[in-house]
């Protein structure tokens, strides 16, 4: 109503440029709220991101990126529409429309910039998420490597003394069993101390 009064439009008089302005303004208002809401959601996700790793799924990023991509395409279409020669011709005939369409273009540009920042922030979070997953996977592999390194020599000892040869000197020793167990314990403890000093458990 304020715009129609400013442009001196009579009641019931609808001009194509005015109608286009109203439609684009409504669309931008709705999408602008959604874009700002999306940016807030991304910032909420970014807060204490490392602690939320277990609750985040890879599909969450795909959905968010697809959503932002849809917005980007919509703004590109609106920007193209406002710069389309026939559309420009509508409000060039009436100079009073020109400032309002320029404001629409500025709004579209601002929303595109805001959307680009949201996409950039989301991409950085996604990259950080992948790094955390890789670090988590490396820790698991590191743990399995430590376990394997400890049990390989123990398995070797068990395999040697599990052979069914008739003449094995150690079998005649009365405390051979305890010596073998003690050797295994010493080897395991020695490996643990070595790994701890070299910070394999960090």
């Amino acid at each position: 109503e304020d715009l129609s009064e400013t442009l001196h439009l009579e009641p019931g008089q609808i001009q194509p440029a005015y109608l286009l302005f109203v439609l684009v303004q409504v669309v931008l208002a709705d999408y602008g709220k959604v874009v700002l809401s999306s940016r807030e959601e991304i910032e909420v996700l970014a807060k204490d991101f490392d602690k939320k790793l277990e609750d985040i799924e890879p599909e969450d990023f795909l959905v968010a990126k697809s959503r932002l991509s849809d917005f980007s395409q919509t703004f590109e279409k609106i920007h193209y529409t406002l710069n389309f020669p026939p559309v420009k011709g509508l409000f060039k005939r009436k100079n009073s429309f020109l400032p309002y369409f320029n404001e629409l273009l500025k709004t579209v540009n601002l929303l595109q910039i805001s959307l680009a920042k949201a996409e950039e922030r989301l991409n950085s979070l996604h990259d950080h998420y992948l790094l955390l997953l890789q670090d988590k996977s490396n820790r698991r592999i590191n743990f399995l490597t430590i376990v394997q390194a400890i049990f390989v020599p123990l398995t070797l000892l068990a395999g040697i003394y599990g052979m069914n040869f008739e003449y094995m000197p150690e079998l005649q020793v009365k405390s051979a069993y305890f010596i073998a167990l003690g050797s295994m314990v010493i080897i395991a403890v020695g490996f643990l101390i070595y790994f701890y000093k070299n910070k394999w458990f960090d």
Side-chain angles (χ1 to χ4, degrees):
E1 293 179 0
D2 294 337
L3 179 61
S4 61
E5 291 177 2
T6 303
L7 298 175
H8 307 293
L9 296 179
E10 298 177 1
Q13 180 184 8
I14 298 179
Q15 297 185 15
Y18 174 71
L19 182 60
L20 178 63
F21 173 85
V22 172
L23 290 175
V24 174
Q25 188 181 43
V26 171
V27 171
L28 289 180
D30 291 339
Y31 275 90
K33 292 177 183 177
V34 178
V35 170
L36 293 176
S37 176
S38 298
R39 288 197 65 180
E40 290 177 0
E41 290 174 3
I42 292 173
E43 291 306 321
V44 170
L45 177 65
K47 189 177 181 181
D48 299 328
F49 185 75
D50 294 358
K51 297 178 182 178
K52 300 176 183 176
L53 187 62
E54 299 295 336
D55 301 327
I56 300 174
E57 297 293 336
E59 292 78 11
D60 296 339
F61 289 99
L62 295 177
V63 172
K65 286 184 177 182
S66 177
R67 187 183 183 191
L68 294 179
S69 178
D70 291 340
F71 293 150
S72 180
Q73 291 179 12
T74 300
F75 292 141
E76 286 176 4
K77 290 177 181 178
I78 293 175
H79 193 274
Y80 175 78
T81 300
L82 294 176
N83 282 282
F84 196 54
V87 174
K88 279 191 171 183
L90 287 175
F91 60 86
K92 279 185 178 178
R93 295 170 196 161
K94 298 286 185 179
N95 293 330
S96 55
F97 279 101
L98 187 57
Y100 297 98
F101 275 88
N102 286 336
E103 287 300 319
L104 286 181
L105 282 172
K106 289 180 182 178
T107 303
V108 172
N109 290 332
L110 287 174
L111 288 175
Q112 286 179 318
I113 292 172
S114 180
L115 187 62
K117 289 181 179 179
E119 290 177 335
E120 184 180 351
R121 181 64 165 155
L122 185 62
N123 287 332
S124 66
L125 286 177
H126 190 204
D127 292 340
H128 184 54
Y129 173 75
L130 294 177
L131 287 175
L132 290 176
L133 286 184
Q134 185 177 1
D135 182 65
K136 187 177 180 180
S137 177
N138 290 340
R139 287 177 180 274
R140 289 175 178 173
I141 294 174
N142 187 52
F143 175 76
L144 293 175
T145 302
I146 291 173
V147 171
Q148 185 180 12
I150 292 173
F151 278 93
V152 163
L154 303 185
T155 304
L156 178 63
L157 285 175
I160 290 174
Y161 290 106
M163 297 176 182
N164 295 321
F165 293 126
E166 184 176 354
Y167 300 104
M168 292 185 72
E170 293 84 356
L171 297 179
Q172 306 302 321
V173 179
K174 197 171 185 179
S175 57
Y177 174 71
F178 299 102
I179 293 173
L181 287 181
S183 300
M184 291 181 179
V185 171
I186 291 172
I187 291 172
V189 172
F191 269 109
L192 289 173
I193 293 173
Y194 174 81
F195 292 141
Y196 179 77
K197 285 186 176 180
N198 287 275
K199 300 182 179 180
W200 280 44
F201 295 104
D202 293 344

